[in-house]
Amino acid sequence: MNKNQTVEAFLDGLTNDRKAQVNKLRQIIKQVAPGLEEHIKWNSPSYVLDGEDRVTFNMHYPDKTMILLHMGATKKENKDASPVFNDKTGLVKWNSDIRGTLSFSSLEEIERHEQQIAEILSGWLSLSPDAV
């Protein structure tokens, strides 16, 4: 069971700096794809598209705010294959063909890369798990 049952409860447990980082990233996510369903998964905010979690925060590191790009729980990943998405920014660290991570250490870093983050999210969410 998740420790935090709501996004608001999750945010209440963050320091002001981390809360600002998460809220800025949430703003970018919601601007890129306003129809995403936001809920708690893995004790962090996650965003559902067409019934699958596709973007999930990873808050397990005290010095990083991370966003995991993935294709939900049903799509099998291949750690040896090339990524299915071409990240021209170089901001995504790929863990497999369908799982990558964006990592930030400050609000200023997020703001500096805001346009690139939006482009990555837009491109990622345009991919259909069934098509890759």
Side-chain angles (χ1 to χ4, degrees):
M1 177 171 272
N2 285 325
K3 181 175 96 176
N4 294 306
Q5 294 298 315
T6 67
V7 175
E8 291 75 23
F10 168 81
L11 292 170
D12 286 344
L14 298 178
T15 64
N16 287 340
D17 184 51
R18 292 291 294 273
K19 184 186 276 190
Q21 291 176 43
V22 169
N23 277 330
K24 183 61 179 177
L25 289 166
R26 287 176 69 221
Q27 175 192 3
I28 296 168
I29 292 166
K30 290 175 182 182
Q31 285 176 344
V32 166
L36 293 179
E37 174 190 337
E38 182 182 57
H39 70 128
I40 295 292
K41 177 182 180 138
W42 301 326
N43 201 35
S44 295
S46 187
Y47 300 86
V48 176
L49 176 66
D50 298 329
E52 291 284 349
D53 284 278
R54 297 289 305 280
V55 177
T56 303
F57 279 86
N58 177 343
M59 302 296 290
H60 297 256
Y61 301 93
D63 59 339
K64 297 177 189 173
T65 300
M66 300 169 70
I67 297 178
L68 179 65
L69 308 175
H70 57 104
M71 294 284 182
T74 58
K75 182 86 171 152
K76 186 169 174 61
E77 65 183 317
N78 182 343
K79 293 184 179 186
D80 296 322
S82 296
V84 297
F85 176 72
N86 182 16
D87 166 34
K88 296 175 184 173
T89 70
L91 291 175
V92 180
K93 178 184 175 222
W94 292 102
N95 309 101
S96 76
D97 59 335
I98 59 168
R99 187 168 45 99
T101 306
L102 292 161
S103 179
F104 305 100
S105 58
S106 70
L107 177 60
E108 293 76 22
E109 183 181 10
I110 294 166
E111 290 172 337
R112 188 171 58 249
H113 294 292
E114 182 173 354
Q115 183 60 40
Q116 294 166 308
I117 296 166
E119 290 171 10
I120 291 166
L121 291 169
S122 179
W124 180 253
L125 292 170
S126 72
L127 297 175
S128 169
D130 296 331
V132 296

